[in-house]
């Protein structure tokens, strides 16, 4: 297969758009007329400014959860953006409103959630906000519980909603501690538990299968925050990821998932699903402006946001035509990410300069330079140095990220680490692109050499040079 000829297809999409416009009389004033020299100057400036970015597309960018959308998604987005439909109401985007309903149904059936009520959102934050809002509407007097490793949005949104919340401790693997939850559930009124399916830091999976059993006992609701990990459901049946946890998603009361994370989409595409369509009653409102062209349910009647890009729905719809939600479709891309994480894990196990922090459950690998006999403080300084020199290497940089974890997490596997502080800074790599699978030995080798350089710098006399005043 050759590289996708994005430019050719973009032009083709533009041509087809122009044909479509010809169905109407030419409009007289063209507000898009502008002197080309102005455009060229602005484009020069834009190009220069955009140069100040990390190369998110490159397989040696293995840092944060970020990558460009698939060219297919770009094409779908571009073709639709020329019209700019608004998925708030069928008045604003009849075609893309329908596409949104179809893709949301596709995602719901990936999870086995039938029936469902759901819609796309601008982000995982909004998807989770809607889930917590419904949780609070249904159980206004009880608390929302989430683990200490849950995304910070949950605590913040509970504040926005004036909802009561409880933080559940995580175990040494960064997963919700169900014994701790059980103890708290005996004394507290917990209405909804948020299970994170792929924490943003460690990529850990809260034990959803065990949580379902506790739900039978205590009767709380369960919201799954699968913003990052949800699409890994496609690999569960072949057991490339924890099968029981992903299969349990079908039984959650709501699920948040971000197509703009692992669904190949540009930013602006989250999704919320509810198992009980009757929660739609909480969204009920009237609008003096919209909802007139169709008696069907308008998306704005079941979402908190008003205007939303119809292009987001169309881009996802178009992407799913090319990469359906099956193990061989989108799943084949995810399996390469997962295999990249497993391959790196193997190399880390036998490395003399880097150590594995945790076995990855999805595609986030966490590791650290330095000796497990060092203190948490020394390890933190060393790994911050590795991070800096890897990112700043003038010839051949490698982009990773760093993560602060509780010292108990590192001591679970490496009890000799001295707990001179509560947390320890380690290295973290999100292997979100299938292309990582081809560069793991190179990535690992480079990080090993950065680890050795950092150790020499720290033990040598150059220490003052490399540590700027904090
Ligand atoms: C990314 C993420 C969020 C927030 O989603 P945005 O799309 O960034 O707003 C929430 N929860 C988890 C687990 C995430 O990974």
């Amino acid at each position: 297969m050759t590289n996708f000829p994005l430019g050719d297809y973009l032009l083709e999409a533009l041509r087809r758009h122009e044909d479509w416009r010809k169905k109407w009389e030419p409009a007289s004033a063209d507000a898009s007329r502008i002197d080309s020299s102005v455009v060229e100057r602005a484009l020069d400036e834009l190009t220069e400014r955009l140069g100040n970015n990390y190369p998110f597309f490159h397989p040696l960018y293995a840092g944060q959860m970020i990558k460009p959308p698939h060219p297919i998604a770009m094409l779908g987005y571009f073709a639709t953006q020329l019209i700019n439909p608004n998925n708030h109401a069928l008045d604003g985007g009849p075609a893309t409103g329908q596409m949104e309903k179809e893709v949301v149904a596709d995602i719901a059936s990936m999870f086995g959630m039938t029936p469902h009520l759901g819609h796309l959102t601008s982000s995982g934050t909004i998807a989770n906000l809607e889930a917590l809002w419904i949780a609070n509407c249904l159980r206004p007097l009880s608390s929302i519980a989430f683990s200490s490793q849950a995304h910070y949005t949950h605590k913040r949104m509970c504040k926005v909603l004036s909802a009561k919340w409880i933080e559940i401790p995580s175990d040494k693997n960064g997963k919700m501690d169900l014994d701790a939850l059980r103890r708290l559930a005996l004394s507290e009124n917990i209405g909804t538990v948020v299970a994170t399916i792929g924490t943003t830091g460690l990529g850990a999976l809260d034990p959803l299968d065990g949580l379902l059993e506790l739900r039978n006992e205590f009767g709380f609701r369960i919201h799954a925050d699968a913003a990052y990990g949800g699409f890994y459901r496609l690999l569960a049946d072949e057991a490339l990821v924890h099968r029981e946890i992903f299969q349990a998603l079908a039984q959650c009361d709501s699920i948040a998932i971000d197509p703009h994370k692992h669904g190949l989409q540009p930013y602006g595409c989250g999704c919320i699903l509810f198992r009980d369509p009757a929660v739609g009653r909480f969204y009920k409102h009237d609008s003096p402006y919209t909802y007139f062209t169709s008696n069907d349910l308008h998306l704005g009647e079941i979402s908190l946001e008003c205007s939303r890009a119809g292009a987001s729905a169309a881009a996802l719809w178009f992407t799913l035509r090319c990469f359906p939600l099956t193990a061989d479709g989108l799943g084949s891309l995810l399996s390469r990410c997962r295999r990249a994480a497993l391959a790196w894990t193997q190399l880390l196990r036998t490395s003399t300069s880097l150590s594995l922090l945790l076995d990855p459950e999805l595609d986030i690998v966490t590791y650290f330079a330095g000796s497990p006999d060092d203190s948490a403080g020394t390890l933190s300084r060393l790994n911050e140095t590795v991070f800096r020199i890897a990112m700043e290497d003038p010839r051949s940089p490698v982009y990773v990220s760093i993560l602060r974890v509780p010292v108990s997490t590192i001591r679970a596997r490496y009890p000799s680490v001295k707990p001179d502080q509560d947390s320890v800074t380690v290295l973290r790599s999100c292997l979100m692109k299938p292309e990582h699978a081809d560069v793991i030995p190179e990535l690992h080798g480079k990080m090993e050499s950065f680890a050795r350089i950092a150790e020499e710098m720290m033990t040598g006399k150059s220490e003052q040079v490399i540590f700027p005043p904090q």
Side-chain angles (χ1 to χ4, degrees):
M1 252 188 286
T2 53
N3 277 347
F4 184 75
L6 180 61
D8 297 346
Y9 280 117
L10 290 178
L11 276 179
E12 179 60 24
L14 188 57
R15 259 183 241 118
R16 291 182 189 204
H17 173 73
E18 281 164 359
D19 284 345
W20 176 74
R21 286 170 71 127
K22 284 189 193 132
K23 293 205 292 184
W24 291 271
E25 296 284 317
S28 50
D30 182 355
S32 64
R33 251 176 235 158
I34 181 167
D35 189 340
S36 64
S37 66
V38 175
V39 179
E40 274 152 36
R41 208 171 333 116
L43 184 59
D44 286 346
E45 274 182 63
L46 177 67
T47 309
E48 197 198 323
R49 295 235 176 170
L50 291 180
N52 179 24
N53 262 305
Y54 298 109
F56 304 120
F57 72 93
H58 198 279
L60 290 181
Y61 180 92
Q64 306 288 357
M65 256 175 218
I66 180 168
K67 63 176 178 182
H70 195 283
I72 288 288
M74 296 187 200
L75 176 58
Y77 201 101
F78 174 79
T80 314
Q81 189 183 41
L82 294 166
I83 302 167
N84 200 29
N86 184 337
N87 270 18
H88 167 242
L90 292 168
D91 314 37
T96 48
Q98 184 54 35
M99 288 183 212
E100 176 164 336
K101 289 180 188 175
E102 291 174 27
V103 293
V104 169
D106 285 347
I107 295 174
S109 47
M110 169 179 79
F111 290 124
M113 185 182 261
T114 39
H116 73 276
L117 182 82
H119 57 88
L120 299 180
T121 60
S122 293
S123 65
T125 302
I126 300 295
N128 279 304
L129 168 64
E130 294 197 15
L132 299 192
W133 172 61
I134 293 293
N136 203 38
C137 290
L138 287 167
R139 310 265 176 108
L141 301 175
S142 55
S143 305
I144 295 171
F146 42 80
S147 90
S148 58
Q149 291 285 321
H151 196 282
Y152 64 79
T153 191
H154 296 289
K155 195 179 292 177
R156 250 177 149 189
M157 290 306 172
C158 283
K159 289 180 189 163
V160 169
L161 295 166
S162 297
K164 287 183 285 226
W165 48 269
I166 299 180
E167 194 171 282
I168 310 295
S170 303
D171 68 13
K172 55 189 174 24
N173 293 319
K175 298 156 88 76
M176 181 182 281
D177 180 343
L178 291 191
D179 292 332
L181 171 62
R182 192 165 200 294
R183 280 192 299 277
L184 281 162
L186 288 169
S187 60
E188 305 279 339
N189 179 5
I190 296 179
T192 298
V193 177
V194 177
T196 306
I197 303 306
T199 58
T200 317
L202 294 165
L205 305 171
D206 281 345
L208 189 56
D209 42 349
L211 197 58
L212 289 179
E213 286 169 28
L214 280 186
R215 173 168 77 176
N216 292 338
E217 192 175 338
F218 292 101
F220 48 67
R221 300 172 66 261
I222 300 178
H223 166 61
D225 179 1
Y228 149 65
F231 285 105
Y232 271 103
R233 174 65 185 82
L234 299 173
L235 303 187
D237 299 332
E238 52 191 85
L240 251 183
V241 291
H242 197 304
R243 187 196 307 238
E244 289 74 20
I245 289 181
F246 279 93
Q247 288 175 343
L249 280 165
Q251 293 172 63
C252 292
D253 295 282
S254 52
I255 305 176
I257 178 171
D258 264 352
H260 70 203
K261 278 189 180 139
H262 257 313
L264 312 177
Q265 300 308 298
Y267 286 124
C269 197
C271 176
I272 180 67
L273 297 168
F274 294 98
R275 197 154 53 108
D276 178 9
V279 301
R281 70 188 183 277
F282 292 109
Y283 286 91
K284 194 168 162 37
H285 66 286
D286 204 2
S287 158
Y289 321 103
T290 48
Y291 313 147
F292 294 117
T293 55
S294 166
N295 290 329
D296 285 354
L297 194 64
H298 297 258
L299 289 158
E301 295 179 276
I302 51 156
S303 65
L304 285 188
E305 290 172 277
C306 298
S307 297
R308 273 188 306 104
S312 290
L316 181 55
W317 182 89
F318 187 57
T319 305
L320 297 186
R321 307 298 283 183
C322 302
F323 299 100
L325 293 176
T326 57
D328 304 342
L330 179 62
S332 68
L333 303 183
L334 292 178
S335 84
R336 293 187 67 203
C337 300
R338 175 73 181 133
R339 287 179 204 283
L342 293 173
W344 200 352
T345 304
Q346 281 309 330
L347 295 175
L348 286 164
R349 278 188 212 288
T350 52
S351 171
T352 50
S353 39
L354 293 172
S355 307
L356 181 69
L357 178 72
L358 284 179
D359 283 296
E361 292 195 272
L362 298 175
D363 57 26
I364 299 178
V365 182
T366 49
Y367 51 101
F368 60 95
S371 158
D373 295 326
D374 281 336
S375 68
T378 304
L379 287 175
S380 296
R381 284 191 296 280
L382 177 64
N383 283 285
E384 280 155 22
T385 307
V386 176
F387 171 67
R388 208 155 50 227
I389 62 179
M391 301 274 282
E392 289 169 6
D393 186 295
R395 287 152 301 127
S396 161
V398 173
Y399 304 93
V400 296
S401 60
I402 49 181
L403 176 70
R404 231 178 12 248
V405 296
V407 74
S408 56
T409 301
I410 196 168
R411 276 167 52 81
R413 192 181 278 228
Y414 305 95
S416 57
V417 171
K418 293 179 203 65
D420 61 338
Q421 54 186 51
D422 294 342
S423 64
V424 60
T425 305
V426 298
L427 298 162
R428 163 179 175 268
S429 285
C430 297
L431 303 176
M432 288 192 94
K433 297 183 287 272
E435 297 83 4
H436 292 302
D438 304 328
V439 299
I440 293 303
E442 184 186 353
L443 195 50
H444 176 70
K446 283 178 190 268
M447 288 311 292
E448 277 191 319
S449 67
F450 288 125
R452 283 191 293 267
I453 296 169
E455 283 204 59
E456 280 163 24
M457 285 166 94
M458 275 191 75
T459 49
K461 46 186 180 305
S462 53
E463 204 164 329
Q464 280 129 328
V465 182
I466 59 162
F467 292 120
Q470 298 283 312

